Amino acid sequence: MNKKAVVLYSGGLDSTTCLAEARAAGFSPYALSFHYGQRHTVELEKARLYAPRVGAVDHMVIDFDLRRIGGSALTSDQEVPKGRAIDDAIPVTYVPARNTIFLSFALGWAEVLGSFDIFIGVNALDYSGYPDCRPEFVRAFEQLANLATRAGVEGQGKYRVHAPLLHLTKAQIIRRGLDLGVDYALTHSCYDPSPEGLACGLCDSCQLRLKGFAEAGIPDPAAYVREVRR
């Protein structure tokens, strides 16, 4: 019987590849998604659709409202930047403490499941500079997990936070996903899609996705509101 692993799963390119990685590593993936007051649910609907198709044993969606805190263009009416040059500055699309919150939910579910493995699809190369996507953050949360749980304190096992995409370029992630059978037409990356769910092609996430497919030499199957260079 495969070991259980909780996989943070948004329905985006990286988290979908991460779920496939967990399965390829011999784990039974328990997918965990969030409806947290984000400005659209297109990505979440992709997650609902795709989770069983990549072999998730279970898919849980947890509801809570980060709009009450705000502080991000993704949880408020603040405009999402379009066409900006991506640099080292932390952009307004950063959601305060989001991955810390997400991993905390994942840790709780893992402890209940008797699992000591959590997967997160963060990336520290082709990314927008979010502080909670760095290797230092992953290591720190892993240490916290072993200090803050009954299972960890009682020595029932050692928690590990797996970040298999951490040091890959977006092109490498895409190639790896295709090797694992990921259908990227069923993923969504855009921060600010149209009412019809079409990607804008200009936000940071769209830029990184398009760059990745271009560097991989593979057409991006996503639908965009305008013609973009693919």
Side-chain angles (χ1 to χ4, degrees), residues 4-64:
K4 299 174 182 177
V6 176
V7 182
L8 291 180
Y9 179 54
S10 68
L13 186 154
D14 290 341
S15 69
T16 302
T17 308
C18 187
L19 198 156
E21 285 278 16
R23 189 177 181 207
F27 291 94
S28 295
Y30 286 71
L32 181 59
S33 304
F34 302 95
H35 187 203
Y36 62 91
Q38 59 266 53
R39 64 190 299 133
H40 70 84
T41 59
V42 177
E43 194 174 13
L44 183 59
E45 292 308 313
K46 294 283 188 181
R48 294 183 195 275
L49 173 69
Y50 200 69
R53 294 184 60 173
V54 282
V57 175
D58 193 6
H59 182 211
M60 181 187 297
V61 179
I62 294 178
D63 288 89
F64 60 99

Side-chain angles (χ1 to χ4, degrees), residues 6 8 15 45 55 88 99 105 119 125 129 145 209:
V6 176
L8 291 180
S15 69
E45 292 308 313
D88 293 334
N99 282 343
F105 277 113
F119 280 76
L125 292 183
R209 178 182 175 119

Side-chain angles (χ1 to χ4, degrees), residues 14 28 31 50 72 98 111 116 125 134 141 160 165 176 184 189 198-199 217 220 223 226 230:
D14 290 341
S28 295
Y50 200 69
S72 170
R98 181 174 61 178
E111 188 169 20
F116 289 90
L125 292 183
R134 297 173 301 150
F141 193 91
R160 183 178 175 197
L165 315 182
R176 175 61 177 162
Y184 286 115
S189 301
L198 302 178
D220 181 0
R226 59 179 63 83
R230 306 195 187 200

Side-chain angles (χ1 to χ4, degrees), residues 177-190:
L178 292 173
D179 287 344
L180 295 173
V182 172
D183 181 359
Y184 286 115
L186 295 178
T187 67
H188 180 88
S189 301
C190 183

Side-chain angles (χ1 to χ4, degrees), residues 207-225:
Q207 288 189 61
L208 290 168
R209 178 182 175 119
L210 287 164
K211 174 176 175 283
F213 275 101
E215 290 178 353
I218 298 163
D220 181 0
Y224 290 85
V225 294

